[in-house]
Each structure stands twice: as structure tokens, then as C-alpha cells.
Amino acid sequence: MASSAVALEDVPSVDMMTELLRRFKCSSKPDKRLVLIGPPGSGKGTQSPVIKDEYCLCHLATGDMLRSAVAAKTPLGIKAKEAMDKAMKKPSCEKGFILDGFPRTVVQAEKLDEMLEKQGTEIDKVLNFAIDDSILEERITGRWIHPASGRSYHTKFAPPKVYGFDDVTGEPLIQRKDDTAQVLKSRLEAFHKQTELVIDYYAKKGVLAQLHAENPPKEVTVEVQKVLSS
Ligand code: ADP
């Protein structure tokens, strides 16, 4: 056994029971492979945990494994492909996954489809977090993040219980360096130029679902639930 692994007898019973219950609950859920598309600040990270828990999916964020491929502008580089293959085989991905922030280009979307086809699967649904650009600056500049979990807060729209600290762990929150009005502008330009074509790509395949991402978080959650239960 690897030195970092925890012996089963040392796992607290309550953790084991929680995990067993989760697996039992999840065994009856249908498989789902989802893509979340939307500009920065549209609420993807806020909705992901809700979708993940309800449908027993794993959350695969670009940041975790695909950033290098995206930065190198390789469609879906060997490294990224390997990382993705591996990630999708984790037990937590057994019922499917949520891809958040990927694919960003049509070429990446095509490569992803090829990869899934080889596994005999496909993307079931793409949630389009449609929102007007004008709303995003306030969302982005007020965003606070708990780095370890990725949980996001907002000074006005989703304040933590204690100012500056994560609700769950009590650890300090941070503001991302690129969460400024100026960086947002260039990220939005890239989004409109490249990622909107990805939306068309999935619309043509008939898997696109539109969300009203400008609505309050709870309303967006209800919309997501409706889309995913249909
Ligand atoms: P993304 O992951 O798409 O970049 P986030 O989920 O991190 O976006 O949301 C950006 C910011 O806006 C966060 O501070 C979040 O708390 C807040 N937020 C998310 N959804 C909503 C919403 N529906 N209404 C108002 N604020 C929201």
C-alpha cells in the first residue's frame, strides 16, 4: 500500500457510512455527461456543486487538468487527453461528469467527441449559461473564492456567513488576481470569438439547453434541474 493511502481500518465509521450511503443513493441515478458553457462570472462554478451532488457526477474543471493544453493551444494534447482519460475513470466519475470551462474551441469539442465515441459514450447535455456582458463586471469584481474547494462567494450576491472566510472550513477566502474589469474584457473577447462557435456546434447536435443565467442563483438551479430531468 502506498504510504499516503489510509488503511481502511483507520477510516472513521461515520465517513465510511456517509460514503456507502452516497454510493447506494448514486447507484440508481442515470448516467450523465454534461458540459457547462458560459462567460466568466456566468455562474458555472456556483451551480456545479449542486448538479454534482444531485446527479452523482464528478466535476472536471479546466484548471485541474486541461489548462496546459488550453494554454499551448493544442486541441486536446496527448498529455491532456491522458489526464482526461484517467480522470474519467475515477470512481467519482462512474455516473458521468461535468466539464466546466472546456471545450473552449470547436476543435476541442470535436476531439472530445472523438474521444468519447471511442469509449462508446457521448455528451448528453450542454448547459448554456446565457447572460448579458454588462452584468458580469459586478459579478467578477465582487467574487471571493475558497481555493481548496473552489467554492465561490460574492460580496453582494452570495456573502459568506463570516466576512472573508469559507462557510464550511472557516479558512480564508481570496480574490483571483485576474478577476478585474480589465482582464474580464479580454476574457470576454476570447469567449465571443471562440466559444460562441462551440455553442452553435452543440446546438446543431441537438444537445444544447439555454439557461437564464442573469436570474438569482436559486432560480438558475431550478432551471438546471428542469433541464436535467427532461
Ligand atoms: P463562473 O464559474 O461561471 O466564472 P461563478 O459561479 O464563480 O462564475 O460566479 C461568479 C460570481 O457571481 C461569484 O462571486 C458568485 O458568487 C456570483 N454569482 C453566481 N451566480 C450568480 C447569480 N445567479 N446571481 C448573482 N450572482 C451570482
Side-chain angles (χ1 to χ4, degrees):
M1 193 184 279
S3 57
S4 61
V6 179
L8 213 49
E9 66 234 40
D10 288 334
V11 177
S13 301
V14 61
D15 293 351
M16 207 132 65
M17 286 310 291
T18 308
E19 176 56 16
L20 278 173
L21 279 174
R22 189 192 70 82
R23 290 196 186 189
F24 181 69
K25 184 193 85 175
C26 289
S27 61
S28 61
K29 301 272 175 175
D31 287 17
K32 276 195 196 300
R33 291 171 192 85
L34 309 175
V35 169
L36 309 190
I37 297 191
S42 57
K44 304 180 297 297
T46 299
Q47 300 298 328
S48 290
V50 186
I51 309 173
K52 178 178 171 271
D53 290 346
E54 193 158 337
Y55 296 94
C56 302
L57 309 175
C58 66
H59 180 231
L60 303 176
T62 316
D64 299 339
M65 49 174 197
L66 300 166
R67 193 164 281 153
S68 56
V70 173
K73 295 207 168 63
T74 51
L76 192 58
I78 304 279
K79 261 207 159 136
K81 189 175 173 298
E82 276 170 10
M84 204 145 133
D85 262 337
K86 198 172 156 210
M88 286 174 182
K89 285 184 183 126
K90 291 190 294 194
S92 59
C93 295
E94 206 178 4
K95 287 286 163 183
F97 54 77
I98 304 170
L99 274 177
D100 174 356
F102 188 91
R104 289 194 187 177
T105 67
V106 172
V107 179
Q108 287 172 356
E110 288 168 349
K111 294 279 170 193
L112 175 66
D113 276 351
E114 275 172 33
M115 190 177 131
L116 293 175
E117 209 181 314
K118 278 188 198 139
Q119 299 170 5
T121 61
E122 58 185 2
I123 295 294
D124 298 303
K125 206 125 263 166
V126 175
L127 305 183
N128 181 24
F129 284 68
I131 190 162
D132 201 273
D133 282 5
S134 61
I135 302 178
L136 297 172
E137 186 176 322
E138 192 181 14
R139 285 213 191 162
I140 286 291
T141 53
R143 169 157 72 181
W144 286 80
I145 288 181
H146 176 240
S149 67
R151 269 184 289 280
S152 59
Y153 298 86
H154 192 280
T155 42
K156 186 166 154 192
F157 305 123
K161 289 188 190 118
V162 181
Y163 180 80
F165 295 94
D166 179 46
D167 286 354
V168 180
T169 62
E171 289 165 357
L173 303 175
I174 58 136
Q175 275 195 298
R176 271 170 54 173
K177 270 209 196 82
D178 54 354
D179 274 355
T180 63
Q182 206 178 357
V183 178
L184 173 67
K185 235 178 130 195
S186 61
R187 281 156 79 193
L188 275 178
E189 269 168 32
F191 179 83
H192 290 306
K193 210 167 125 202
Q194 298 192 307
T195 312
E196 255 162 23
L197 297 169
V198 180
I199 297 173
D200 297 340
Y201 173 86
Y202 286 121
K204 282 195 196 110
K205 290 188 157 249
V207 290
L208 192 73
Q210 297 286 356
L211 302 176
H212 297 86
E214 75 281 3
N215 287 344
K218 287 212 171 80
E219 285 180 30
V220 179
T221 301
V222 171
E223 225 179 356
V224 168
Q225 285 163 335
K226 272 194 197 141
V227 163
L228 294 184
S229 63
S230 64

